[in-house]
Amino acid sequence: MKPYKISFLKRYTGLIRGVLLLPCILLCQALHAQDPATQSRLDSLDARLRRLELRISRYSPEARSQTRSAIESGRYGGFVVSDNKGVSLEIGGYVQFDAIHDFHQTTNHDAFQPSTIVIPNDHKTNTSYTIRQTRFNFIGSVPLGKHTLKTTLEFDLFNPNGSSVPRLRHAWGEYGRLGAGQYWSNFMDIDVFPNTLDYWGPNAMVFTRQVQIRFTQPVGKDTKIAISLENPSGNITVPTDSGYNSLTQIPDAVLSIRHDWGGNHVKIAGVFHPLTYEMPDKDRKSTPGWGVNISGTFQLEKSKDNFVYQAAYGEGIANYFDDIGGDGYDGIWQSPAQKLRTVPALGLMGFYDHWWSDKLSTTVGWGYLTLKTKSYQPGTDFNMSQYGVGNLIWYPNTFMKVGLEYLYGYRKNINGMSADNHRIQFSTMFKF
């Protein structure tokens, strides 16, 4: 009998409990019905909870997310906070430590920039430790109508004054085909940044961030055209205390077309770069600068290996090149003719990225940059530079990389004097 009784109780426990609780449930409903204010407050709190329902997850990085082009494009992943309406905020970044040793004298110890090699060079060595490549960003996404509003805010610690104070890199918004803010120039191609540990990158690469407004129009499935008006940024050299001044009056106009196929791409971009200046009598004049940039990637079949390349030429566009941007070589003032002359510039580069395995890669390549200098320029002005790199990088997981890199740089001045530098760099990167 005992087993039967126990079985009976187990079988009907739920029914007995329901019968006992039914009066309590009916009583609570009656009380709520008699108190509309309480019910209203409960409904309001329930609605707020639904609006605040968030999901916090760790974005899983895509393949090759630690390569330099992926990092510069902001594709290295982060923590994503999102709600059930599709609104999200991605928080990402990384901490990077660099140990750098120069065998010859240079003035830029944190990044490899051939134009900063000292001439004549006394071959003094220098070692520096830095964390200035460390970076963090915020990427927002809000569905609005047929499109999604995307915003990017990014900082690093590579302040121009040599400090580690946070510096703004990107402040960019994009909705549909329209984008505005500070971002990579439409004239450059960030996807051809080779996989280097060095912060600066190749001397001949077109590389600059610009405040701009841009419109992008897809043409077919794999092709798009982009038109942008970018911040006037003429960088010219005029006689000191002569009364001549560089002006930022007419924006740069850039037109580009890009075609993608099977992991490869090619991009052709053209820029109209007016150089505006004011004369001592306050008369304003402009000299046109222009340039063409052809770049792309070639992905090897059945392999992670790829080749990146770029060829850029123009007059008055020195400010766009990585090595000499900001050095005043867009235009040089010719005193006898009392006229600003643009300086022709040519930049060529090619880099090969080889993967020994999924966790080990090597990048090798070369960059060449030259200016067609003028006879009236000082002999100590920049004429040509070269940049070479070879490295070995290990990726123990998708959140870390450790590497050793050799860099070679060469600079030659107009007067024929030259010097070179050899650098060894050890780096570790930790994503968060």
Side-chain angles (χ1 to χ4, degrees):
M1 294 298 292
K2 288 184 179 179
Y4 175 79
K5 289 182 179 179
I6 294 173
S7 175
F8 176 84
L9 290 174
K10 286 183 177 179
R11 181 178 299 179
Y12 295 102
T13 296
L15 177 62
I16 296 170
R17 185 180 298 164
V19 172
L20 294 174
L21 292 177
L22 180 60
C24 296
I25 295 173
L26 294 175
L27 179 62
C28 289
Q29 289 180 344
L31 290 174
H32 286 169
Q34 294 176 3
D35 190 359
T38 300
Q39 186 62 44
S40 176
R41 285 195 294 271
L42 289 173
D43 291 341
S44 177
L45 288 172
D46 184 61
R48 290 183 185 181
L49 286 173
R50 285 197 299 270
R51 287 196 298 269
L52 293 174
E53 185 182 21
L54 300 176
R55 295 190 307 274
I56 301 176
S57 60
R58 181 64 170 86
Y59 172 72
S60 180
E62 61 184 62
R64 296 170 58 92
S65 65
Q66 294 143 298
T67 62
R68 192 60 186 273
S69 60
I71 288 172
E72 296 299 339
S73 301
R75 303 196 304 269
Y76 47 85
F79 287 96
V80 179
V81 181
S82 62
D83 67 5
N84 56 10
K85 300 294 184 180
V87 178
S88 68
L89 175 65
E90 180 180 324
I91 304 171
Y94 59 88
V95 174
Q96 181 158 333
F97 162 79
D98 299 320
I100 298 171
H101 180 78
D102 288 300
F103 290 87
H104 296 169
Q105 194 174 13
T106 180
T107 58
N108 191 341
H109 299 296
D110 294 337
F112 198 69
Q113 188 180 3
S115 64
T116 62
I117 296 173
V118 177
I119 301 176
N121 202 300
D122 59 9
H123 296 185
K124 288 183 178 179
T125 62
N126 183 81
T127 299
S128 61
Y129 283 14
T130 177
I131 45 81
R132 297 180 68 201
Q133 288 206 53
T134 296
R135 183 178 309 182
F136 51 96
N137 67 13
F138 307 90
I139 300 175
S141 179
V142 181
L144 292 174
K146 296 181 179 180
H147 304 288
T148 299
L149 173 63
K150 298 179 180 178
T151 53
T152 300
L153 189 63
E154 183 175 75
F155 301 84
D156 68 10
L157 304 183
F158 219 95
N159 203 286
N161 63 11
S163 72
S164 297
V165 175
R167 174 192 65 151
L168 177 68
R169 287 171 54 86
H170 298 305
W172 179 252
E174 194 173 282
Y175 181 72
R177 299 171 183 173
L178 181 66
Q182 178 170 296
Y183 199 61
W184 302 120
S185 170
N186 187 26
F187 187 53
M188 67 172 286
D189 185 352
I190 192 58
D191 290 330
V192 301
F193 203 122
N195 193 24
T196 64
L197 299 172
D198 165 46
Y199 176 84
W200 212 262
N203 60 332
M205 184 170 56
V206 174
F207 185 84
T208 184
R209 287 176 288 271
Q210 294 271 61
V211 177
Q212 61 187 284
I213 182 168
R214 183 188 302 185
F215 181 81
T216 302
Q217 175 63 51
V219 182
K221 182 180 177 181
D222 302 314
T223 306
K224 58 184 179 182
I225 296 174
I227 302 172
S228 63
L229 292 177
E230 303 185 2
N231 181 53
S233 55
N235 196 246
I236 63 177
T237 299
V238 295
T240 305
D241 300 327
S242 63
Y244 294 93
N245 295 302
S246 176
L247 301 176
T248 54
Q249 189 173 17
I250 304 174
D252 293 3
V254 183
L255 172 65
S256 71
I257 180 169
R258 172 171 169 149
H259 179 67
D260 292 82
W261 75 99
N264 311 306
H265 87 273
V266 62
K267 179 177 179 179
I268 302 174
V271 61
F272 175 66
H273 181 56
L275 307 177
T276 307
Y277 58 97
E278 185 179 64
M279 303 179 72
D281 60 3
K282 304 304 178 183
D283 185 24
R284 295 185 174 187
K285 293 187 177 182
S286 293
T287 299
W290 61 272
V292 176
N293 185 20
I294 301 174
S295 59
T297 60
F298 178 74
Q299 184 78 36
L300 274 67
E301 292 186 10
K302 299 180 181 179
S303 171
K304 293 177 68 174
D305 293 10
N306 71 336
F307 178 75
V308 298
Y309 60 89
Q310 179 207 276
Y313 178 81
E315 295 189 13
I317 61 166
N319 198 46
Y320 279 93
F321 287 103
D322 202 15
D323 195 18
I324 54 176
D327 289 346
Y329 293 122
D330 279 356
I332 304 293
W333 186 258
Q334 184 181 12
S335 296
Q338 296 295 294
K339 189 174 182 180
L340 187 72
R341 304 285 189 182
T342 56
V343 180
L346 171 67
L348 303 170
M349 72 173 211
F351 292 83
Y352 180 66
D353 187 14
H354 173 67
W355 289 78
W356 305 97
S357 68
D358 288 340
K359 294 191 175 184
L360 200 64
S361 75
T362 291
T363 295
V364 294
W366 201 264
Y368 174 82
L369 175 63
T370 184
L371 299 180
K372 187 177 181 181
T373 54
K374 309 297 184 181
S375 58
Y376 44 82
Q377 288 183 247
T380 55
D381 273 8
F382 174 93
N383 174 231
M384 181 267 285
S385 70
Q386 298 183 53
Y387 175 104
V389 64
N391 62 36
L392 184 64
I393 304 176
W394 177 50
Y395 312 85
N397 52 59
T398 56
F399 297 96
M400 296 173 56
K401 72 177 180 182
V402 181
L404 185 66
E405 184 167 88
Y406 166 76
L407 296 144
Y408 172 79
Y410 174 83
R411 169 181 172 152
K412 186 176 78 171
N413 289 341
I414 295 175
N415 59 15
M417 294 187 67
S418 64
D420 62 6
N421 182 28
H422 304 264
R423 171 177 288 186
I424 297 293
Q425 177 170 333
F426 172 79
S427 299
T428 61
M429 188 190 80
F430 307 95
K431 298 197 297 184
F432 56 83

